[in-house]
Amino acid sequence: MNTLKAWIDEHFKGDPIIWAIVILLSLFSILVVYSATGTLAYKTAGGNTEAYLFRHSFLVFLSLFVMWLAHKMPYRKYALYARLFMYLSIPLLAFTYFFGSNINEANRWITIPVINQAFQPSDLAKLSLIAALAAMLAKRQNNIKDFLGTFMPIILSIGVICGLIALANMSTAILLLLTCLLIMFIGRVPMKYLMLVVVVGILGLTIAGFTGQRGKTFITRITAFMESKEDDTKIPFQAEQSFIAIATGGITGKGPGNSEQRNSLPHPYSDFIFSIIIEEYGLVGGASVLFLYLALLYRGMRIVANSNKAFGGLLSAGLSFALVIQALVNMAVAVGLGPITGLPLPLLSMGGTSLVFTGTALGIILSVSRGDHQDEAAASQVETQRVGNRLRTA
């Protein structure tokens, strides 16, 4: 037993509670996705439900492996790569918008040759922008009020990335802009600059809404949500089926694999997987999932509070907010607290490369926790040696 504990301590460093939360949600994801893909399997895989089980399980374990690799790398190195990948993501986003695969009337995907796997450059852009923003703010903490030297590179980076994403995915762009504002607030950016970012962001998103592919859909969904609050007969079909799933789940649910709404609810394995969770596991299951995400945010913020480096704290805060805010928005849509967005539930929804990027983000958060612990241990050891030397010379 001691040998196993020593092996785990050596190879799995960082916050142990984050490890536990991620593993629990990942294993639960396999179970729920297997149940939710029954109808999809009959339509596309000839009734072979195990095809999606094996594919999703492979991607889940691949994301966990990527998380493990990411947490082994010292987090300071991510500052070196962040800007490079941010610059790389700009032409990728532009190429995707004009030449990417069109799904649901939006060009968001590039198909990777050889492995024939769809890839969303917006996932790379989100991760790299958050890391680059954290690095820029940490480097310029002493000159945080310098408009040209500090603020202009930041607002240009945010504006270009969010604008390109908004052309095909408005909801993702809005959440990314909100995450960047939170990072800047934590990074002591003056309030007048934050308000300028808000104004520029709203202007950019408005232009993208009128010129992009999904602007009309975004406005239609907001209008439909507002109308449904005034008239129950105007509830969108997806929301109505989601409400039925939640209402029939009760306190303890129908049991694993017993969902009925998966046969009529659009995208029950991704956008509305939270509805299937409540239908099968009841309010107990839904509340447990919500608690795990809030616990993940709490542990991420504890890393921020305990971090002794500005970059580590800002990086952990940005990635934690990005993951948990998306999860909260997805759950809010499922229960009717927000307009339909099409955002998946991180760690739980069936996905492709998005799972890998989620694993990378969590690995970076763990790397920050791991690095700060090592710095504290090294500082403590140096201080102990100094005290010992003083005692010997006294």
Side-chain angles (χ1 to χ4, degrees):
M1 192 67 180
N2 291 334
T3 304
L4 177 61
K5 184 179 183 302
W7 184 86
I8 292 175
D9 291 341
E10 180 181 357
H11 293 90
F12 295 87
K13 299 183 182 296
D15 192 315
I17 296 180
I18 292 181
W19 276 108
I21 292 172
V22 173
I23 292 174
L24 279 174
L25 288 174
S26 298
L27 295 178
F28 188 49
S29 171
I30 295 174
L31 183 62
V32 178
V33 168
Y34 178 53
S35 173
T37 52
T39 302
L40 180 66
Y42 277 104
K43 291 180 179 179
T44 61
N48 182 14
T49 56
E50 282 74 18
Y52 287 99
L53 171 65
F54 292 139
R55 178 181 177 277
H56 181 64
S57 299
F58 169 75
L59 289 171
V60 166
F61 285 109
L62 176 62
S63 69
L64 291 174
F65 177 69
V66 170
M67 182 177 74
W68 179 79
L69 289 178
H71 108 286
K72 297 288 285 185
M73 180 181 294
Y75 73 88
R76 294 175 184 81
K77 291 188 177 181
Y78 291 109
L80 303 176
Y81 305 134
R83 187 168 294 187
L84 172 64
F85 283 110
M86 184 181 68
Y87 291 147
L88 176 63
S89 66
I90 293 175
L92 279 176
L93 287 170
F95 178 85
T96 304
Y97 179 72
F98 290 106
F99 306 107
S101 302
N102 189 291
I103 301 176
N104 295 329
E105 301 178 355
N107 294 2
R108 301 177 186 172
W109 289 265
I110 295 177
T111 302
I112 302 175
V114 181
I115 64 175
N116 195 32
Q117 174 66 51
F119 157 66
Q120 287 195 66
S122 59
D123 290 327
L124 174 64
K126 287 190 299 182
L127 186 61
S128 58
L129 176 60
I130 290 171
L133 180 58
M136 286 187 283
L137 287 173
K139 186 177 180 180
R140 295 171 172 84
Q141 281 294 293
N142 294 328
N143 299 310
I144 200 67
K145 296 183 180 180
D146 182 4
F147 183 82
L148 292 178
T150 299
F151 186 68
M152 282 305 297
I154 290 174
I155 195 172
L156 286 174
S157 301
I158 295 174
V160 171
I161 296 293
C162 290
L164 287 172
I165 293 176
L167 291 173
N169 194 338
M170 184 65 71
S171 53
T172 297
I174 292 174
L175 290 186
L176 180 58
L177 176 62
L178 178 60
T179 302
C180 291
L181 288 171
L182 288 170
I183 297 173
M184 294 171 69
F185 177 76
I186 296 173
R188 302 188 304 111
V189 172
M191 189 59 64
K192 60 181 180 180
Y193 294 165
L194 288 177
M195 295 308 299
L196 182 58
V197 172
V198 172
V199 173
V200 173
I202 292 175
L203 179 62
L205 293 175
T206 301
I207 295 173
F210 282 106
T211 60
Q213 297 171 329
R214 299 290 285 178
K216 293 182 179 179
T217 302
F218 180 73
I219 295 173
T220 300
R221 286 176 171 176
I222 293 179
T223 304
F225 173 73
M226 298 303 293
E227 291 178 349
S228 68
K229 294 302 178 183
E230 300 176 358
D231 187 352
D232 292 342
T233 63
K234 295 183 178 180
I235 297 177
F237 177 77
Q238 301 101 309
E240 182 181 23
Q241 298 303 311
S242 176
F243 297 163
I244 294 173
I246 292 171
T248 56
I251 301 298
T252 57
K254 299 176 181 178
N258 293 326
S259 170
E260 297 176 3
Q261 290 306 114
R262 65 187 173 190
N263 299 319
S264 55
L265 180 62
H267 306 292
Y269 43 83
S270 57
D271 300 353
F272 288 94
I273 196 168
F274 189 65
S275 306
I276 303 300
I277 290 173
I278 296 180
E279 184 183 10
E280 293 189 348
Y281 299 91
L283 292 177
V284 174
S288 298
V289 169
L290 175 60
F291 171 77
L292 288 175
Y293 279 112
L294 293 178
L296 179 62
L297 178 61
Y298 172 72
R299 299 304 297 186
M301 291 303 99
R302 281 205 56 174
I303 295 174
V304 176
N306 296 330
S307 179
N308 48 29
K309 301 291 183 181
F311 174 61
L314 293 171
L315 184 60
S316 177
L319 295 176
S320 299
F321 275 125
L323 289 171
V324 178
I325 290 176
Q326 181 174 330
L328 294 177
V329 169
N330 177 280
M331 290 184 278
V333 170
V335 299
L337 295 178
I340 297 170
T341 61
L343 291 170
L345 187 57
L347 293 171
L348 284 174
S349 292
M350 184 176 76
T353 53
S354 61
L355 281 172
V356 175
F357 281 104
T358 300
T360 304
L362 289 163
I364 294 173
I365 294 172
L366 287 167
S367 177
V368 175
S369 174
R370 166 178 173 261
D372 285 337
H373 288 164
Q374 289 179 341
D375 290 343
E376 290 176 3
S380 177
Q381 184 177 2
V382 170
E383 184 63 24
T384 301
Q385 290 176 350
R386 287 177 180 176
V387 173
N389 293 335
R390 289 175 183 174
L391 291 174
R392 283 193 294 270
T393 56

